[in-house]
């Protein structure tokens, strides 16, 4: 989207939250309402059409599509996931980079990570939104057909999570001092069960001190077979 849209959270007097969305080229504005608490994090998907995910302080997830028309900015609720969870949250989209002959780019580009304290939820927005507009986070139906996968392998709050560009690997960094790399596939096997994520590698870059940030020094916009992603990383820690 190249910075065409801007979004930020707004607190309201009753403890709820709203999100202001701005389309900068035409100076159009819209207001997303209905959040049950103040907004804790939000992020646009890495796709050509605007899709915004936001999570409030209670852990409720809201995903909207946004479209600019000549007269107004249209915002439609694509998916709402209801929760009651006061742990820290982050929302991170897959930074999908298509191959020369992409096969499932739309699905991969709409993979979303939602952190809930020390846990991670991987959401296939395409899969879940095709069946539901609103659903409880604890409803077993969200995990059917590869809709959502949960990872619970950290002992403290996750502060950063990053998808690989093809959506098959996930890196997480936590206050427990560890960075972990998982192989993930959001699909069901022939028995209807999801393959559990496999930890490929774990790393304690600061001797176990709480990690405060994780960045991968990738700046690739197109796919090249000889290019290695996640080759260099920067981490920080709390003293």
């Amino acid at each position: 989207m190249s910075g065409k849209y801007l979004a930020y959270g707004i607190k309201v007097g009753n403890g709820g939250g709203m999100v202001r969305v701005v389309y900068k080229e035409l100076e159009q504005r819209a207001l997303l309402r209905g959040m049950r608490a103040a907004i804790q994090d939000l992020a646009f998907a890495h796709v050509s059409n605007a899709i915004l995910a936001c999570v409030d302080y209670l852990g409720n997830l809201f995903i909207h599509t946004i479209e600019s028309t000549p007269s107004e900015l249209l915002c439609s609720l694509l998916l709402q996931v209801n929760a009651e969870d006061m742990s820290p949250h982050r929302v991170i989209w897959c930074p999908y980079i298509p191959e020369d002959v992409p096969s499932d780019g739309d699905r991969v580009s709409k993979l979303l990570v939602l952190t809930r304290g020390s846990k991670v939820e991987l959401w296939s927005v395409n899969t879940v939104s095709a069946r539901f507009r609103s659903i409880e986070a604890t409803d077993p139906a969200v995990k059917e057909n590869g809709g959502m996968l949960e990872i619970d392998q950290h002992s403290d709050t996750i502060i950063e999570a990053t998808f690989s560009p093809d959506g098959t690997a996930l890196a997480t960094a936590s206050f427990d001092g560890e960075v972990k790399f998982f192989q993930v596939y959001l699909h069901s096997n022939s028995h209807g069960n999801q393959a559990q994520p496999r930890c490929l590698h774990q790393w304690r870059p600061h001797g176990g001190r709480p990690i405060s940030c994780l960045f991968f020094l990738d700046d690739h916009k197109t796919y090249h077979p000889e290019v290695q992603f996640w080759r260099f990383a920067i981490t920080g820690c709390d003293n």
Side-chain angles (χ1 to χ4, degrees), residues 157-177:
T157 300
I158 294 171
I159 55 89
E160 188 61 76
T162 303
F163 265 118
S164 63
D166 62 358
T168 63
L170 179 75
T172 57
S174 168
F175 284 155
D176 64 12

Side-chain angles (χ1 to χ4, degrees), residues 9-85:
I10 301 173
K11 292 183 179 180
V12 296
N14 62 1
M18 299 184 294
V19 174
R20 171 69 72 187
V21 181
V22 180
Y23 182 56
K24 295 189 288 184
E25 286 191 358
L26 298 179
E27 298 184 353
Q28 295 173 326
R29 296 188 174 199
L31 201 59
L32 306 181
R33 305 175 186 269
M35 289 70 181
R36 301 174 182 176
I39 299 302
Q40 190 167 36
D41 195 19
L42 49 76
F44 283 102
H46 302 276
V47 292
S48 56
N49 53 321
I51 301 178
L52 177 66
C54 54
V55 59
D56 64 22
Y57 275 87
L58 293 177
N60 299 293
L61 175 67
F62 304 86
I63 300 176
H64 290 81
T65 60
I66 302 167
E67 180 183 1
S68 174
T69 70
S71 59
E72 62 180 330
L73 198 58
L74 299 178
C75 301
S76 302
L77 181 65
L78 180 64
L79 177 65
Q80 177 175 332
V81 180
N82 304 309
E84 290 289 339
D85 174 20

Side-chain angles (χ1 to χ4, degrees), residues 77-151:
L77 181 65
L78 180 64
L79 177 65
Q80 177 175 332
V81 180
N82 304 309
E84 290 289 339
D85 174 20
M86 295 295 292
S87 60
H89 308 96
R90 292 286 314 280
V91 284
I92 303 104
W93 291 94
C94 178
Y96 177 62
I97 297 178
E99 299 182 10
D100 293 334
V101 185
S103 57
D104 56 355
D106 188 60
R107 179 190 65 82
V108 175
S109 63
K110 294 176 185 174
L111 294 178
L112 175 75
V113 175
L114 171 62
T115 70
R116 297 188 186 276
S118 62
K119 299 180 182 180
V120 170
E121 294 174 356
L122 282 68
W123 289 85
S124 172
V125 175
N126 267 6
T127 300
V128 179
S129 64
R131 300 180 60 202
F132 308 101
R133 190 167 182 265
S134 178
I135 191 170
E136 299 295 321
T138 55
D139 191 328
V142 301
K143 297 184 179 181
E144 296 175 357
N145 303 315
M148 190 270 276
L149 179 67
E150 186 178 73
I151 299 176

